[in-house]
Amino acid sequence: MRGYVLFLRRPFAARLLGGTLLGRLPNGMGMLAVVLHVRADGGGYPLAGTLAAILGLATAAGQPVLGRAMDRLGQPVVLLPAACASAAGFVLLAATGAGPLPLSVGAVVLAGFATPPLEAGLRALWPDVLDGQEQVDAAYALDAAAQELLFTVGPLLVVAAAVVNTEAALLLTGALGIAGTLVVALSGPSRRWRGRPRAADWAGPLRSPGMRVLLLSLACAGIALGVYAVAVVAYAERYGRDLASGLLLACMAGGALAGGLVYGARPWAGEPNRRLPWLLAALAAGYVPLVLAPGLPAMSVLAFVSGVSLAPVLACSFALVDRLAPEGTVTEAFAWIVAAIGAGGSLGSFVSGIGQDVGGVPGAFAGAGAGGVLALVLCLLGARTLRPAPARPVTAEAAA
């Protein structure tokens, strides 16, 4: 754990990590807050689920756009207006409720699309704030592990606020986004950070073949996550235990937290592109046995094991982005990672529903294993593109 201690002692490191986690709590709160508010206002489950899905897709779509703007304009000038606009979307939904439909759809689109790209911005800051690649890798691992807390603490905050009313849950969601964004955007590293000059093309980081392969692989890992989130609900209904879904989600989050902490606690030799296939293989191996859907004690163990490789996969992928993203596109590249996982998660929710109809609870979980295996296959097929480009020799003209 020495690497974590050294990392957190660096100036601004704890502030940036804490502020980012605070500002990203809406990511774990928004969908549930939307569903509860629409249901409380008399809307049906189809409408509530559709608006929650629109919120997730709008968030995935907005991250690369705002990430590109940050690469060009800097962080505070993008983060602060985005956080205020996202909060305004939640306020509008609190005022309108389930209808009129155009207003409620517009509210969730605004709340999602304007979600400030704090996650991408933080990862762009780490190389400037920390001392050496070892500390950066530890930061990536702790970041990946800690984000599991967002999806544990966030829903609890929504439920607590909804005791007052569902409008309070939406307002709290927007307020926390602004608060965390202020902590990050007003810090010295965020105000000083500027993206490097980049080529004038629309593709940005997508012009890197390695980035495209990485995004596809992580989108498939996102499918596995989306499948799991829906399948545990089907599992709880099958066994008649309402708390089983929450327990299994917590077990997977605990596994991810433990795996991320262990992974980041030591330096790793070699390039991350060599580690990623092994980590994806472990991730797939953790998801495949879930199709057995045994009793709750055994299923809890399988759920924990399924999460152990998740944070290491993300941390290794973050390190790869530093090497694969074209010059001047690092924030947008990290934002694409967020978007790919989010889009995969939305597709996974759909896949799990179909699997449930076709094969019951085992069918619902089958998509998780399939997503993990597909992520590994795509990574292996594109392994050459994940190799970091060799450093260019420094010529006399370049040195001058």
Side-chain angles (χ1 to χ4, degrees):
M1 297 296 175
R2 179 173 173 271
Y4 292 129
V5 174
L6 294 175
F7 148 57
L8 291 173
R9 283 180 176 174
R10 294 289 300 174
F12 294 104
R15 171 178 175 172
L16 290 172
L17 179 61
T20 299
L21 292 175
L22 176 63
R24 287 166 57 198
L25 274 173
N27 296 352
M29 300 170 65
M31 288 190 178
L32 180 58
V34 168
V35 170
L36 292 179
H37 183 61
V38 173
R39 290 290 297 144
D41 199 51
Y45 277 110
L47 175 60
T50 299
L51 289 176
I54 291 174
L55 176 70
L57 292 174
T59 302
Q63 293 297 289
V65 176
L66 296 174
R68 177 172 292 197
M70 282 171 57
D71 278 325
R72 292 180 172 176
L73 304 174
Q75 293 200 357
V77 71
V78 175
L79 289 175
L80 293 173
C84 293
S86 181
F90 286 116
V91 170
L92 178 59
L93 183 63
T96 60
L101 187 59
L103 278 179
S104 59
V105 170
V108 296
V109 168
L110 176 61
F113 191 88
T115 298
L118 290 166
E119 189 175 352
L122 176 67
R123 290 164 193 159
L125 288 176
W126 283 141
D128 293 337
V129 173
L130 303 178
D131 185 16
Q133 190 61 42
E134 182 178 338
Q135 287 189 10
V136 172
D137 290 341
Y140 287 154
L142 186 59
D143 177 13
Q147 69 179 338
E148 298 304 320
L149 298 175
L150 303 178
F151 299 97
T152 303
V153 176
L156 294 177
L157 292 175
V158 170
V159 172
V163 171
V164 179
N165 54 52
T166 55
E167 288 84 355
L170 288 169
L171 296 178
L172 177 63
T173 302
L176 290 176
I178 292 177
T181 300
L182 285 171
V183 173
V184 174
L186 298 181
S187 68
S190 180
R191 288 185 285 109
R192 291 190 298 267
W193 185 87
R194 292 293 181 273
R196 297 177 181 177
R198 56 178 284 167
D201 64 89
W202 66 270
L206 298 183
R207 70 176 184 266
S208 164
M211 278 298 306
R212 295 196 295 269
V213 168
L214 184 62
L215 290 171
L216 288 173
S217 293
L218 292 180
C220 291
I223 290 175
L225 293 174
V227 166
Y228 184 88
V230 174
V232 294
V233 177
Y235 179 92
E237 292 178 353
R238 171 183 172 180
Y239 284 95
R241 298 187 179 185
D242 295 337
L243 298 179
S245 58
L247 174 63
L248 294 178
L249 287 170
C251 286
M252 190 187 74
L257 179 61
L261 291 175
V262 171
Y263 178 82
R266 53 156 291 182
W268 294 89
E271 290 292 335
N273 62 293
R274 295 183 178 274
R275 294 195 298 276
L276 185 60
W278 294 100
L279 294 172
L280 285 173
L283 185 72
Y287 280 124
V288 168
L290 295 175
V291 75
L292 300 174
L296 188 57
M299 192 63 176
S300 299
V301 175
L302 292 180
F304 182 89
V305 172
S306 73
V308 166
S309 299
L310 177 59
V313 164
L314 295 177
C316 187
S317 300
F318 300 155
L320 264 176
V321 170
D322 283 335
R323 295 159 171 80
L324 296 175
E327 190 84 357
T329 67
V330 63
T331 308
E332 184 183 349
F334 281 122
W336 272 110
I337 296 291
V338 178
I341 296 173
S346 297
L347 178 58
S349 300
F350 175 74
V351 168
S352 186
I354 294 178
Q356 162 69 12
D357 289 340
V358 174
V361 173
F365 278 111
V373 170
L374 187 56
L376 173 61
V377 170
L378 289 173
C379 179
L380 292 174
L381 290 176
R384 284 188 178 181
T385 67
L386 297 176
R387 297 173 184 171
R392 296 180 179 178
V394 179
T395 63
E397 292 82 2

